[in-house]
Amino acid sequence: MNYPFAAIVGQERMRLALLLAALDPSLSVLLQGEKGSAKTTAARALAELLPEGAPFVNLPIGAGEERLLGGLDLDKALAGQPALKPGLIHQAHGGVLYCDEINLLAPHLTDALLDVVASGVGRLEREGFSLEYPARFVLLASMNPEEGRLRPQLYDRFALKVGVQGLADPAERALALKRRLAFEADPASFRAQWAEAQEALRLRLGRARSRLSALELAEDLLLEIGQRVAALEVGSLRADLALAKAARALAAWEERTEVSWAEVEAVWPLVLPEHPSPPPKPQTPPSPPVPPEPAPEQVFAPKTPAHALRLEGPSLRQGRGPTAPRGPQVRAVPEPEPRRLELRASLLHAGLRGASRIERQDLHERIEQTQSGQRLLLVVDASGSLAAEARIAWAKGALLRLLEEGAEEVGLITFRGAEARLILPFTRDLEAAKQALEHLPTGGRTPLAAALALAREHLDERTRLVLITDGRANLAHRGGDPWAEALEEAQRITRPAAVLDVEAGPHPLGRARHLAQAMGARYARLDDLSDHTVLLRLEEAR
């Protein structure tokens, strides 16, 4: 039995986001927070508030591609009637597809899910057969950020993104504990106590749904949404659309006859949590941009020398190019009840027996072992130390060439002044990378320890690090000695890495080499790179 939605204590933003999704199924929701903050409880409780007959489908984190997308109907196939059966995304049509710990979903399944969410159509091709079916649903997911980040491409698909924290008020914690104990002791009795409140919620949602289609957003309100989102330099229109839909749903929920800026402002932190409040309303129509005044910072064009660009890794040694095919390795094993049929192996087995048709004893299961695509994280010193031009120009050129040649994902961190920043989240999008790299200023102090700490947050088992620096740290991360802190952070990095030394001058300190030794990383001087093999085999640096 599900915990009643009406009995959830606190968590106003989370409850509001879920109610808005129940009103407008196009509003997908991502709940982000630590364990024990009622994310999964609230998501599953939402099922009882959906319109009658709307499915609520759980996507297990261990589900395979066939479970998600569908596969061959074996019973019909063995009876001589080949047919395909859709998977979970087809079952979720018209309702909700819920995935707990979505950040742990296999990358190739994430890609497949993204395609369906974008098109509203599921496509299934197996063993020479194809099937297309409608698959429009609310994508509802939860995750614990401590267990891994969500790919930017998937994060952007969610209309409402809610940071969920544990209850801080002692009285609320006590009330939540009291209700949870009562529910676990006697679920049926507890649900009976909340039946009236649950019914009131369902009736209110029903009335709101009937009003939703009649509510329209005035032209001046749409213009104001566009102006304020544009002021944040958000390129995608998804935020504008989510604000408009969420504001309309909120107006329907609150039984208003029109949508005003008050509703937009109320849902703003759900749509753009990284900008929790809207920027000021423009007083005059926006004028053409004025070229900025010259500044002491410099911006350098990409430099793409051929010898400095090939950072791919073991694929070159195996005779494959940098665009080697991605995806799972496949093998076939005998299995009379296969979860996914490997047709070629099954036919071959029947043929070796001299049989005219496939029988159970011939069936083989298709086993896929996912090869997660590698990611490359460039960490570039953009401070005012020597050789800034070489660092920035080389990093820009390398990153763009890697994307052009089909690298899995590339990210970029720069550090200068008082902070380190993730300039480009991991992406395969060449155009997004070009926009992010258009303005990379240099100058200021060198917060090297902060950069290494930030890089460590983005490293995982498939991510390689390339640090481009002269090693001259002069800004502390935690108030201690800048160099000692940088060396300590370097020792904490355990993933394959390379350090490109750009130190110049008559009296080198050799600190970049010390950093490489602390990380167990490959070391090279940027000026000495004579061919692309220097940075291959990063995994052999250990």
Side-chain angles (χ1 to χ4, degrees):
M1 293 185 180
N2 288 330
Y3 190 88
F5 191 92
I8 297 173
V9 177
Q11 307 294 6
E12 286 80 6
R13 283 190 177 181
M14 176 177 67
R15 288 188 295 156
L16 176 60
L18 294 175
L19 288 170
L20 296 181
L23 275 172
D24 185 347
S26 68
L27 292 171
S28 52
V29 181
L30 174 65
L31 306 178
Q32 306 174 85
E34 58 191 13
K35 292 182 178 179
S37 52
K39 304 185 302 296
T40 302
T41 296
R44 291 176 175 165
L46 181 68
E48 296 183 13
L49 302 180
L50 297 174
E52 185 175 355
F56 188 94
V57 178
N58 282 284
L59 171 58
I61 198 62
E65 183 177 354
E66 188 145 339
R67 179 88 182 275
L68 178 65
L69 300 176
L72 190 66
D73 191 320
L74 284 180
D75 291 330
K76 290 185 178 179
L78 291 173
Q81 302 174 3
L84 297 177
K85 57 180 180 181
L88 294 177
I89 58 174
H90 176 67
Q91 296 175 26
H93 178 60
V96 171
L97 181 68
Y98 172 58
C99 181
D100 191 14
E101 307 296 351
I102 192 171
N103 49 324
L104 303 181
L105 192 65
H108 68 289
L109 293 185
T110 302
D111 291 337
L113 187 57
L114 283 174
D115 291 341
V116 175
V117 171
S119 65
V121 177
R123 294 180 179 86
L124 177 60
E125 295 184 359
R126 292 287 186 274
E127 285 77 34
F129 303 102
S130 62
L131 177 67
E132 189 172 288
Y133 51 87
R136 295 190 179 277
F137 47 80
V138 177
L139 181 57
L140 173 57
S142 60
M143 59 174 281
N144 181 359
E146 294 179 356
E147 297 177 349
R149 296 172 179 267
L150 197 63
R151 290 173 54 193
Q153 298 94 326
L154 182 56
Y155 181 84
D156 190 47
R157 297 287 185 183
F158 289 96
L160 308 179
K161 298 166 278 273
V162 186
V164 186
Q165 298 178 341
L167 298 175
D169 184 273
E172 286 190 338
R173 294 176 72 94
L175 180 58
L177 178 60
K178 178 182 178 181
R179 291 181 182 177
R180 189 70 201 188
L181 290 172
F183 174 74
E184 292 180 357
D186 189 347
S189 177
F190 185 82
R191 286 172 55 84
Q193 294 174 23
W194 287 91
E196 186 176 344
Q198 285 281 100
E199 184 61 23
L201 267 180
R202 279 191 289 267
L203 291 175
R204 184 175 176 182
L205 281 169
R207 293 194 300 269
R209 289 189 193 100
S210 64
R211 286 191 296 270
L212 187 64
S213 59
L215 288 172
E216 295 184 0
L217 283 78
E219 291 289 338
D220 57 344
L221 183 58
L222 293 174
L223 177 61
E224 186 172 351
I225 290 174
Q227 288 176 337
R228 299 212 194 190
V229 175
L232 299 174
E233 299 183 355
V234 176
S236 171
L237 281 174
R238 289 196 179 102
D240 308 59
L241 188 60
L243 283 169
K245 289 184 174 182
R248 184 177 61 180
L250 180 59
W253 172 251
E254 295 182 343
E255 302 183 0
R256 302 189 186 280
T257 57
E258 60 182 19
V259 186
S260 68
W261 178 254
E263 284 76 52
V264 178
E265 196 166 21
V267 301
W268 188 283
L270 302 179
V271 177
L272 292 164
E274 60 274 21
H275 305 286
S277 58
K281 180 180 180 180
Q283 299 300 313
T284 56
S287 56
V290 179
E293 292 294 325
E297 300 173 336
Q298 298 186 28
V299 179
F300 301 103
K303 180 181 180 182
T304 56
H307 64 265
L309 293 175
R310 298 192 177 275
L311 305 176
E312 294 85 359
S315 62
L316 291 182
R317 297 204 315 279
Q318 298 168 357
R320 303 194 309 263
T323 56
R326 295 184 286 114
Q329 290 182 328
V330 178
R331 60 190 179 93
V333 297
E335 175 55 59
E337 296 289 342
R339 289 173 294 180
R340 182 173 180 185
L341 178 66
E342 176 54 43
L343 183 60
R344 180 173 296 178
S346 302
L347 286 170
L348 179 61
H349 190 271
L352 292 174
R353 290 194 305 109
S356 59
R357 58 178 294 176
I358 296 177
E359 298 178 3
R360 283 281 177 187
Q361 60 180 309
D362 302 311
L363 298 184
H364 282 61
E365 181 171 344
R366 180 184 178 93
I367 304 295
E368 295 183 351
Q369 296 176 324
T370 302
Q371 295 178 314
S372 297
Q374 288 193 334
R375 305 193 303 186
L376 184 70
L377 178 62
L378 295 179
V379 181
V380 184
D381 182 351
S383 69
S385 52
L386 297 174
E389 179 177 3
R391 288 194 300 272
I392 297 300
W394 190 93
K396 283 185 175 183
L399 193 150
L400 293 176
R401 176 65 67 85
L402 285 167
L403 289 173
E404 288 172 354
E405 293 185 353
E408 285 293 320
E409 291 182 340
V410 182
L412 175 65
I413 289 174
T414 64
F415 56 103
R416 63 181 288 272
E419 64 176 355
R421 294 177 56 201
L422 180 65
I423 299 295
L424 181 67
F426 288 111
T427 184
R428 300 188 189 98
D429 189 336
L430 180 61
E431 292 306 315
K434 288 179 178 179
Q435 292 180 16
L437 297 175
E438 185 176 351
H439 181 72
L440 279 184
T442 64
R445 306 182 73 181
T446 313
L448 179 55
L452 292 172
L454 180 60
R456 194 157 51 85
E457 294 179 9
H458 292 79
L459 294 178
D460 56 25
E461 66 281 354
R462 62 191 182 100
T463 303
R464 297 169 293 147
L465 169 68
V466 175
L467 173 64
I468 306 172
T469 182
D470 58 11
R472 294 174 181 263
N474 57 25
L475 184 65
H477 181 44
R478 295 183 297 273
D481 175 74
W483 169 244
E485 288 187 1
L487 205 58
E488 181 181 349
E489 290 293 343
Q491 291 170 343
R492 294 177 178 175
I493 292 176
T494 60
R495 303 306 308 162
V499 176
L500 296 187
D501 189 352
V502 292
E503 187 175 25
H507 304 292
L509 298 177
R511 286 188 167 178
R513 185 184 292 275
H514 291 312
L515 288 172
Q517 292 171 348
M519 289 189 283
R522 281 200 168 274
Y523 170 83
R525 290 187 54 81
L526 189 63
D527 293 339
D528 295 340
L529 289 180
S530 57
D531 61 73
H532 66 268
T533 62
V534 175
L535 292 179
L536 301 180
R537 305 177 180 90
L538 287 178
E539 74 283 0
E540 297 178 2
R542 298 274 150 231

